[in-house]
Amino acid sequence: MNPLLGDLRAFGAAARKELRITRRYPTLLIGMFFWPILLPAVYVLQAQAFSGNGDPRTLAAFAERSGTAQVAGFVFIGWAMYMWLSQVLWGPGLALRTEQLRGSLEAVFLTPASRLVALFGPSTAALVPSMANLAIMAVAARLIFGVELLPEALARASLVILLTIPAMYGIGSLFASAILRFGEVGGVVQLVRGIFTLACGVTFPLVMLPDWARTVALTLPPTYFVADLRQILLAGASLGDLATDLLILAVLGAAVCALAIWAFKVTELSARRVGMLGRY
């Protein structure tokens, strides 16, 4: 069999395995309908309370800094990134750790499939709940808070999402590589998720950050996802208006994936030398 076709079949098998496990434990899906609505809704209600329930002066100040007066839309789009990142880090990012705990990691590495299957395969399955989360948040924002997303902008928004996929799952794969070296990285996942939440402007405009923090934010792919999605869905920006951002997003995504592949090769060699593959 052609090696490429074999690896594609292995990718499909890895994705089906993850989806079947989720199907066997349907209560895992409860959070997919609960957190995407509750988390952003809490911040929207806080914003409404602090602003005097829509005082025109506070809305004007917010619009001046964020580029939109739709507070709920602004917050929901920010939390869409947070939910996606969380799923990436706790799912594909810890997939190899899960295999370790099951005692199946060594068996996975004994298969003739490319190592990229073990690294990126779980990410393929994670696309399904991630996209479902985004859809649930869009519906909730519309029904609960009356957020008016521009229908003609949905196709442009889909392109931004597609360009973000390599970057997001590249970040998750970096954590998967770290598993082979350190074993447990749950604490680091929490730390990094918090940093991204703060630096990427999930609940506030980036102009509120100090200059050095904004510089750091511009090196993080999720920053461009959040900003560009807000510009497209809330302000009606065209792809031409965001061409530079989209190019940067694509380059960062390729760079993160390349870094993840390199890190995986290095940590795999180290794990083989010290016997980390079979440890818990």
mmCIF file of all heavy atoms in Angstrom, residues 56-98:
data_model
loop_
_atom_site.group_PDB
_atom_site.id
_atom_site.type_symbol
_atom_site.label_atom_id
_atom_site.label_comp_id
_atom_site.label_asym_id
_atom_site.label_seq_id
_atom_site.Cartn_x
_atom_site.Cartn_y
_atom_site.Cartn_z
ATOM 1 N N PRO A 56 -25.590 55.150 27.351
ATOM 2 C CA PRO A 56 -24.989 55.549 26.071
ATOM 3 C C PRO A 56 -23.539 56.007 26.208
ATOM 4 O O PRO A 56 -22.723 55.789 25.305
ATOM 5 C CB PRO A 56 -25.894 56.695 25.597
ATOM 6 C CG PRO A 56 -27.202 56.435 26.274
ATOM 7 C CD PRO A 56 -26.862 55.845 27.597
ATOM 8 N N ARG A 57 -23.185 56.650 27.305
ATOM 9 C CA ARG A 57 -21.808 57.125 27.477
ATOM 10 C C ARG A 57 -20.830 55.968 27.621
ATOM 11 O O ARG A 57 -19.735 55.998 27.053
ATOM 12 C CB ARG A 57 -21.726 58.047 28.694
ATOM 13 C CG ARG A 57 -22.500 59.359 28.541
ATOM 14 C CD ARG A 57 -22.547 60.103 29.864
ATOM 15 N NE ARG A 57 -23.260 59.322 30.880
ATOM 16 C CZ ARG A 57 -23.391 59.690 32.146
ATOM 17 N NH1 ARG A 57 -22.840 60.829 32.561
ATOM 18 N NH2 ARG A 57 -24.071 58.946 32.997
ATOM 19 N N THR A 58 -21.224 54.954 28.369
ATOM 20 C CA THR A 58 -20.328 53.809 28.538
ATOM 21 C C THR A 58 -20.220 53.007 27.244
ATOM 22 O O THR A 58 -19.140 52.517 26.895
ATOM 23 C CB THR A 58 -20.823 52.896 29.670
ATOM 24 O OG1 THR A 58 -22.158 52.452 29.388
ATOM 25 C CG2 THR A 58 -20.810 53.642 30.989
ATOM 26 N N LEU A 59 -21.328 52.904 26.521
ATOM 27 C CA LEU A 59 -21.275 52.195 25.237
ATOM 28 C C LEU A 59 -20.398 52.937 24.239
ATOM 29 O O LEU A 59 -19.660 52.323 23.464
ATOM 30 C CB LEU A 59 -22.686 52.017 24.678
ATOM 31 C CG LEU A 59 -23.557 50.953 25.342
ATOM 32 C CD1 LEU A 59 -24.933 50.911 24.697
ATOM 33 C CD2 LEU A 59 -22.895 49.581 25.251
ATOM 34 N N ALA A 60 -20.472 54.259 24.262
ATOM 35 C CA ALA A 60 -19.637 55.052 23.360
ATOM 36 C C ALA A 60 -18.159 54.873 23.690
ATOM 37 O O ALA A 60 -17.314 54.753 22.790
ATOM 38 C CB ALA A 60 -20.027 56.524 23.441
ATOM 39 N N ALA A 61 -17.837 54.836 24.990
ATOM 40 C CA ALA A 61 -16.447 54.632 25.396
ATOM 41 C C ALA A 61 -15.962 53.241 24.992
ATOM 42 O O ALA A 61 -14.829 53.074 24.527
ATOM 43 C CB ALA A 61 -16.317 54.825 26.905
ATOM 44 N N PHE A 62 -16.840 52.264 25.158
ATOM 45 C CA PHE A 62 -16.471 50.901 24.776
ATOM 46 C C PHE A 62 -16.268 50.797 23.264
ATOM 47 O O PHE A 62 -15.297 50.186 22.795
ATOM 48 C CB PHE A 62 -17.557 49.924 25.225
ATOM 49 C CG PHE A 62 -17.314 48.505 24.807
ATOM 50 C CD1 PHE A 62 -16.414 47.717 25.509
ATOM 51 C CD2 PHE A 62 -17.977 47.951 23.714
ATOM 52 C CE1 PHE A 62 -16.176 46.403 25.128
ATOM 53 C CE2 PHE A 62 -17.745 46.648 23.328
ATOM 54 C CZ PHE A 62 -16.851 45.866 24.035
ATOM 55 N N ALA A 63 -17.179 51.391 22.485
ATOM 56 C CA ALA A 63 -17.078 51.333 21.029
ATOM 57 C C ALA A 63 -15.813 52.027 20.535
ATOM 58 O O ALA A 63 -15.187 51.589 19.561
ATOM 59 C CB ALA A 63 -18.316 51.968 20.399
ATOM 60 N N GLU A 64 -15.412 53.098 21.204
ATOM 61 C CA GLU A 64 -14.199 53.813 20.809
ATOM 62 C C GLU A 64 -12.962 52.933 20.948
ATOM 63 O O GLU A 64 -12.036 53.012 20.147
ATOM 64 C CB GLU A 64 -14.043 55.065 21.676
ATOM 65 C CG GLU A 64 -12.815 55.888 21.329
ATOM 66 C CD GLU A 64 -12.657 57.089 22.245
ATOM 67 O OE1 GLU A 64 -13.572 57.325 23.077
ATOM 68 O OE2 GLU A 64 -11.636 57.773 22.151
ATOM 69 N N ARG A 65 -12.963 52.084 21.963
ATOM 70 C CA ARG A 65 -11.797 51.231 22.219
ATOM 71 C C ARG A 65 -11.856 49.891 21.500
ATOM 72 O O ARG A 65 -10.817 49.312 21.188
ATOM 73 C CB ARG A 65 -11.665 50.991 23.734
ATOM 74 C CG ARG A 65 -11.291 52.240 24.504
ATOM 75 C CD ARG A 65 -11.546 52.073 25.997
ATOM 76 N NE ARG A 65 -11.082 53.231 26.757
ATOM 77 C CZ ARG A 65 -11.735 54.374 26.867
ATOM 78 N NH1 ARG A 65 -12.908 54.513 26.246
ATOM 79 N NH2 ARG A 65 -11.242 55.371 27.562
ATOM 80 N N SER A 66 -13.051 49.391 21.250
ATOM 81 C CA SER A 66 -13.188 48.050 20.676
ATOM 82 C C SER A 66 -13.589 48.039 19.210
ATOM 83 O O SER A 66 -13.429 47.018 18.529
ATOM 84 C CB SER A 66 -14.227 47.257 21.467
ATOM 85 O OG SER A 66 -15.517 47.828 21.317
ATOM 86 N N GLY A 67 -14.170 49.141 18.723
ATOM 87 C CA GLY A 67 -14.620 49.192 17.341
ATOM 88 C C GLY A 67 -16.041 48.716 17.137
ATOM 89 O O GLY A 67 -16.528 48.653 16.010
ATOM 90 N N THR A 68 -16.750 48.380 18.211
ATOM 91 C CA THR A 68 -18.142 47.945 18.109
ATOM 92 C C THR A 68 -18.867 48.274 19.403
ATOM 93 O O THR A 68 -18.266 48.302 20.476
ATOM 94 C CB THR A 68 -18.232 46.428 17.840
ATOM 95 O OG1 THR A 68 -19.619 46.046 17.780
ATOM 96 C CG2 THR A 68 -17.565 45.637 18.941
ATOM 97 N N ALA A 69 -20.170 48.522 19.283
ATOM 98 C CA ALA A 69 -20.988 48.771 20.466
ATOM 99 C C ALA A 69 -21.710 47.511 20.914
ATOM 100 O O ALA A 69 -22.433 47.528 21.914
ATOM 101 C CB ALA A 69 -22.011 49.871 20.169
ATOM 102 N N GLN A 70 -21.509 46.391 20.204
ATOM 103 C CA GLN A 70 -22.163 45.134 20.562
ATOM 104 C C GLN A 70 -21.322 44.408 21.616
ATOM 105 O O GLN A 70 -20.462 43.586 21.289
ATOM 106 C CB GLN A 70 -22.340 44.253 19.327
ATOM 107 C CG GLN A 70 -23.322 44.818 18.310
ATOM 108 C CD GLN A 70 -23.797 43.754 17.344
ATOM 109 O OE1 GLN A 70 -24.369 42.732 17.753
ATOM 110 N NE2 GLN A 70 -23.565 43.970 16.063
ATOM 111 N N VAL A 71 -21.591 44.729 22.858
ATOM 112 C CA VAL A 71 -20.811 44.145 23.950
ATOM 113 C C VAL A 71 -20.960 42.625 23.978
ATOM 114 O O VAL A 71 -19.974 41.892 24.119
ATOM 115 C CB VAL A 71 -21.245 44.748 25.301
ATOM 116 C CG1 VAL A 71 -20.501 44.081 26.443
ATOM 117 C CG2 VAL A 71 -21.016 46.254 25.304
ATOM 118 N N ALA A 72 -22.180 42.139 23.848
ATOM 119 C CA ALA A 72 -22.410 40.689 23.904
ATOM 120 C C ALA A 72 -21.683 39.985 22.758
ATOM 121 O O ALA A 72 -21.054 38.938 22.958
ATOM 122 C CB ALA A 72 -23.902 40.386 23.853
ATOM 123 N N GLY A 73 -21.753 40.534 21.565
ATOM 124 C CA GLY A 73 -21.056 39.933 20.435
ATOM 125 C C GLY A 73 -19.555 39.927 20.645
ATOM 126 O O GLY A 73 -18.868 38.943 20.343
ATOM 127 N N PHE A 74 -19.028 41.025 21.174
ATOM 128 C CA PHE A 74 -17.605 41.141 21.456
ATOM 129 C C PHE A 74 -17.164 40.046 22.433
ATOM 130 O O PHE A 74 -16.164 39.356 22.218
ATOM 131 C CB PHE A 74 -17.321 42.521 22.041
ATOM 132 C CG PHE A 74 -15.872 42.795 22.339
ATOM 133 C CD1 PHE A 74 -15.067 43.415 21.397
ATOM 134 C CD2 PHE A 74 -15.324 42.449 23.565
ATOM 135 C CE1 PHE A 74 -13.728 43.678 21.668
ATOM 136 C CE2 PHE A 74 -13.992 42.704 23.847
ATOM 137 C CZ PHE A 74 -13.196 43.316 22.898
ATOM 138 N N VAL A 75 -17.935 39.872 23.504
ATOM 139 C CA VAL A 75 -17.571 38.902 24.538
ATOM 140 C C VAL A 75 -17.736 37.471 24.025
ATOM 141 O O VAL A 75 -16.863 36.614 24.250
ATOM 142 C CB VAL A 75 -18.430 39.119 25.800
ATOM 143 C CG1 VAL A 75 -18.236 37.981 26.797
ATOM 144 C CG2 VAL A 75 -18.079 40.452 26.445
ATOM 145 N N PHE A 76 -18.818 37.183 23.333
ATOM 146 C CA PHE A 76 -19.046 35.821 22.861
ATOM 147 C C PHE A 76 -17.966 35.383 21.874
ATOM 148 O O PHE A 76 -17.521 34.232 21.909
ATOM 149 C CB PHE A 76 -20.432 35.704 22.217
ATOM 150 C CG PHE A 76 -21.483 35.195 23.158
ATOM 151 C CD1 PHE A 76 -22.135 36.060 24.028
ATOM 152 C CD2 PHE A 76 -21.822 33.849 23.192
ATOM 153 C CE1 PHE A 76 -23.105 35.604 24.914
ATOM 154 C CE2 PHE A 76 -22.791 33.381 24.067
ATOM 155 C CZ PHE A 76 -23.435 34.255 24.933
ATOM 156 N N ILE A 77 -17.531 36.267 21.004
ATOM 157 C CA ILE A 77 -16.476 35.898 20.057
ATOM 158 C C ILE A 77 -15.165 35.650 20.790
ATOM 159 O O ILE A 77 -14.422 34.714 20.472
ATOM 160 C CB ILE A 77 -16.317 36.993 18.985
ATOM 161 C CG1 ILE A 77 -17.546 37.010 18.067
ATOM 162 C CG2 ILE A 77 -15.048 36.773 18.165
ATOM 163 C CD1 ILE A 77 -17.560 38.136 17.069
ATOM 164 N N GLY A 78 -14.879 36.465 21.804
ATOM 165 C CA GLY A 78 -13.679 36.232 22.599
ATOM 166 C C GLY A 78 -13.721 34.889 23.302
ATOM 167 O O GLY A 78 -12.737 34.138 23.297
ATOM 168 N N TRP A 79 -14.869 34.560 23.884
ATOM 169 C CA TRP A 79 -14.981 33.286 24.583
ATOM 170 C C TRP A 79 -15.033 32.109 23.629
ATOM 171 O O TRP A 79 -14.726 30.966 24.018
ATOM 172 C CB TRP A 79 -16.199 33.289 25.496
ATOM 173 C CG TRP A 79 -15.907 33.955 26.797
ATOM 174 C CD1 TRP A 79 -16.242 35.218 27.167
ATOM 175 C CD2 TRP A 79 -15.183 33.400 27.894
ATOM 176 N NE1 TRP A 79 -15.771 35.494 28.428
ATOM 177 C CE2 TRP A 79 -15.119 34.399 28.906
ATOM 178 C CE3 TRP A 79 -14.580 32.170 28.141
ATOM 179 C CZ2 TRP A 79 -14.482 34.189 30.116
ATOM 180 C CZ3 TRP A 79 -13.945 31.968 29.350
ATOM 181 C CH2 TRP A 79 -13.899 32.964 30.330
ATOM 182 N N ALA A 80 -15.405 32.341 22.390
ATOM 183 C CA ALA A 80 -15.343 31.262 21.393
ATOM 184 C C ALA A 80 -13.906 30.790 21.233
ATOM 185 O O ALA A 80 -13.630 29.585 21.134
ATOM 186 C CB ALA A 80 -15.905 31.743 20.056
ATOM 187 N N MET A 81 -12.970 31.743 21.201
ATOM 188 C CA MET A 81 -11.556 31.372 21.141
ATOM 189 C C MET A 81 -11.144 30.620 22.390
ATOM 190 O O MET A 81 -10.438 29.605 22.331
ATOM 191 C CB MET A 81 -10.689 32.622 20.962
ATOM 192 C CG MET A 81 -9.193 32.339 20.754
ATOM 193 S SD MET A 81 -8.270 31.937 22.246
ATOM 194 C CE MET A 81 -8.296 33.509 23.106
ATOM 195 N N TYR A 82 -11.578 31.097 23.552
ATOM 196 C CA TYR A 82 -11.216 30.458 24.815
ATOM 197 C C TYR A 82 -11.705 29.015 24.850
ATOM 198 O O TYR A 82 -10.961 28.101 25.246
ATOM 199 C CB TYR A 82 -11.804 31.247 25.983
ATOM 200 C CG TYR A 82 -11.615 30.581 27.320
ATOM 201 C CD1 TYR A 82 -10.455 30.790 28.056
ATOM 202 C CD2 TYR A 82 -12.586 29.733 27.851
ATOM 203 C CE1 TYR A 82 -10.267 30.165 29.285
ATOM 204 C CE2 TYR A 82 -12.409 29.105 29.070
ATOM 205 C CZ TYR A 82 -11.251 29.324 29.786
ATOM 206 O OH TYR A 82 -11.066 28.696 30.985
ATOM 207 N N MET A 83 -12.950 28.785 24.449
ATOM 208 C CA MET A 83 -13.495 27.435 24.471
ATOM 209 C C MET A 83 -12.749 26.534 23.500
ATOM 210 O O MET A 83 -12.457 25.359 23.806
ATOM 211 C CB MET A 83 -14.991 27.463 24.128
ATOM 212 C CG MET A 83 -15.860 28.174 25.145
ATOM 213 S SD MET A 83 -15.789 27.427 26.791
ATOM 214 C CE MET A 83 -16.325 25.766 26.438
ATOM 215 N N TRP A 84 -12.429 27.063 22.320
ATOM 216 C CA TRP A 84 -11.700 26.285 21.323
ATOM 217 C C TRP A 84 -10.312 25.931 21.869
ATOM 218 O O TRP A 84 -9.876 24.782 21.787
ATOM 219 C CB TRP A 84 -11.593 27.090 20.034
ATOM 220 C CG TRP A 84 -11.127 26.283 18.853
ATOM 221 C CD1 TRP A 84 -10.842 24.947 18.825
ATOM 222 C CD2 TRP A 84 -10.915 26.768 17.525
ATOM 223 N NE1 TRP A 84 -10.451 24.568 17.558
ATOM 224 C CE2 TRP A 84 -10.488 25.652 16.754
ATOM 225 C CE3 TRP A 84 -11.047 28.017 16.931
ATOM 226 C CZ2 TRP A 84 -10.184 25.778 15.396
ATOM 227 C CZ3 TRP A 84 -10.743 28.133 15.579
ATOM 228 C CH2 TRP A 84 -10.320 27.033 14.816
ATOM 229 N N LEU A 85 -9.626 26.926 22.421
ATOM 230 C CA LEU A 85 -8.296 26.683 22.973
ATOM 231 C C LEU A 85 -8.348 25.670 24.112
ATOM 232 O O LEU A 85 -7.485 24.785 24.218
ATOM 233 C CB LEU A 85 -7.688 27.994 23.460
ATOM 234 C CG LEU A 85 -6.264 27.909 24.021
ATOM 235 C CD1 LEU A 85 -5.280 27.548 22.917
ATOM 236 C CD2 LEU A 85 -5.869 29.236 24.672
ATOM 237 N N SER A 86 -9.352 25.768 24.966
ATOM 238 C CA SER A 86 -9.484 24.826 26.070
ATOM 239 C C SER A 86 -9.656 23.401 25.565
ATOM 240 O O SER A 86 -9.042 22.451 26.080
ATOM 241 C CB SER A 86 -10.678 25.206 26.950
ATOM 242 O OG SER A 86 -10.461 26.431 27.602
ATOM 243 N N GLN A 87 -10.508 23.240 24.551
ATOM 244 C CA GLN A 87 -10.707 21.906 23.992
ATOM 245 C C GLN A 87 -9.435 21.370 23.364
ATOM 246 O O GLN A 87 -9.121 20.181 23.468
ATOM 247 C CB GLN A 87 -11.824 21.936 22.951
ATOM 248 C CG GLN A 87 -13.211 22.039 23.557
ATOM 249 C CD GLN A 87 -14.292 21.847 22.525
ATOM 250 O OE1 GLN A 87 -14.152 22.285 21.383
ATOM 251 N NE2 GLN A 87 -15.376 21.205 22.902
ATOM 252 N N VAL A 88 -8.668 22.265 22.712
ATOM 253 C CA VAL A 88 -7.417 21.851 22.083
ATOM 254 C C VAL A 88 -6.410 21.382 23.126
ATOM 255 O O VAL A 88 -5.770 20.330 22.981
ATOM 256 C CB VAL A 88 -6.829 23.010 21.253
ATOM 257 C CG1 VAL A 88 -5.372 22.738 20.890
ATOM 258 C CG2 VAL A 88 -7.644 23.236 19.991
ATOM 259 N N LEU A 89 -6.261 22.155 24.200
ATOM 260 C CA LEU A 89 -5.250 21.839 25.194
ATOM 261 C C LEU A 89 -5.621 20.609 26.022
ATOM 262 O O LEU A 89 -4.761 19.768 26.323
ATOM 263 C CB LEU A 89 -5.028 23.039 26.115
ATOM 264 C CG LEU A 89 -4.448 24.292 25.437
ATOM 265 C CD1 LEU A 89 -4.237 25.396 26.457
ATOM 266 C CD2 LEU A 89 -3.132 23.967 24.733
ATOM 267 N N TRP A 90 -6.899 20.484 26.399
ATOM 268 C CA TRP A 90 -7.303 19.356 27.225
ATOM 269 C C TRP A 90 -7.608 18.109 26.407
ATOM 270 O O TRP A 90 -7.659 17.005 26.960
ATOM 271 C CB TRP A 90 -8.515 19.715 28.064
ATOM 272 C CG TRP A 90 -8.198 20.677 29.162
ATOM 273 C CD1 TRP A 90 -8.628 21.967 29.263
ATOM 274 C CD2 TRP A 90 -7.377 20.452 30.307
ATOM 275 N NE1 TRP A 90 -8.113 22.556 30.397
ATOM 276 C CE2 TRP A 90 -7.342 21.649 31.067
ATOM 277 C CE3 TRP A 90 -6.654 19.351 30.771
ATOM 278 C CZ2 TRP A 90 -6.639 21.778 32.247
ATOM 279 C CZ3 TRP A 90 -5.941 19.488 31.959
ATOM 280 C CH2 TRP A 90 -5.939 20.677 32.683
ATOM 281 N N GLY A 91 -7.818 18.267 25.100
ATOM 282 C CA GLY A 91 -8.073 17.112 24.241
ATOM 283 C C GLY A 91 -6.824 16.664 23.513
ATOM 284 O O GLY A 91 -6.034 15.866 24.038
ATOM 285 N N PRO A 92 -6.586 17.174 22.287
ATOM 286 C CA PRO A 92 -5.372 16.793 21.552
ATOM 287 C C PRO A 92 -4.087 17.094 22.317
ATOM 288 O O PRO A 92 -3.120 16.351 22.222
ATOM 289 C CB PRO A 92 -5.471 17.649 20.281
ATOM 290 C CG PRO A 92 -6.923 17.902 20.110
ATOM 291 C CD PRO A 92 -7.488 18.014 21.491
ATOM 292 N N GLY A 93 -4.084 18.165 23.095
ATOM 293 C CA GLY A 93 -2.871 18.519 23.823
ATOM 294 C C GLY A 93 -2.469 17.484 24.856
ATOM 295 O O GLY A 93 -1.287 17.338 25.168
ATOM 296 N N LEU A 94 -3.441 16.756 25.403
ATOM 297 C CA LEU A 94 -3.162 15.728 26.412
ATOM 298 C C LEU A 94 -3.478 14.327 25.903
ATOM 299 O O LEU A 94 -3.582 13.386 26.693
ATOM 300 C CB LEU A 94 -3.956 16.011 27.686
ATOM 301 C CG LEU A 94 -3.632 17.320 28.413
ATOM 302 C CD1 LEU A 94 -4.459 17.442 29.678
ATOM 303 C CD2 LEU A 94 -2.148 17.390 28.758
ATOM 304 N N ALA A 95 -3.636 14.171 24.580
ATOM 305 C CA ALA A 95 -4.017 12.876 24.017
ATOM 306 C C ALA A 95 -2.961 11.811 24.294
ATOM 307 O O ALA A 95 -3.292 10.666 24.634
ATOM 308 C CB ALA A 95 -4.257 12.999 22.515
ATOM 309 N N LEU A 96 -1.693 12.172 24.152
ATOM 310 C CA LEU A 96 -0.645 11.187 24.402
ATOM 311 C C LEU A 96 -0.586 10.813 25.881
ATOM 312 O O LEU A 96 -0.263 9.679 26.230
ATOM 313 C CB LEU A 96 0.709 11.722 23.933
ATOM 314 C CG LEU A 96 0.844 11.943 22.417
ATOM 315 C CD1 LEU A 96 2.249 12.398 22.073
ATOM 316 C CD2 LEU A 96 0.503 10.672 21.653
ATOM 317 N N ARG A 97 -0.874 11.774 26.762
ATOM 318 C CA ARG A 97 -0.926 11.468 28.189
ATOM 319 C C ARG A 97 -2.062 10.480 28.476
ATOM 320 O O ARG A 97 -1.914 9.559 29.284
ATOM 321 C CB ARG A 97 -1.126 12.760 28.994
ATOM 322 C CG ARG A 97 -1.253 12.553 30.489
ATOM 323 C CD ARG A 97 -0.038 11.867 31.061
ATOM 324 N NE ARG A 97 -0.121 11.721 32.510
ATOM 325 C CZ ARG A 97 0.677 10.942 33.219
ATOM 326 N NH1 ARG A 97 1.618 10.226 32.607
ATOM 327 N NH2 ARG A 97 0.558 10.860 34.530
ATOM 328 N N THR A 98 -3.181 10.669 27.802
ATOM 329 C CA THR A 98 -4.297 9.740 27.964
ATOM 330 C C THR A 98 -3.900 8.338 27.525
ATOM 331 O O THR A 98 -4.244 7.342 28.176
ATOM 332 C CB THR A 98 -5.510 10.221 27.149
ATOM 333 O OG1 THR A 98 -5.865 11.544 27.571
ATOM 334 C CG2 THR A 98 -6.699 9.296 27.336
#
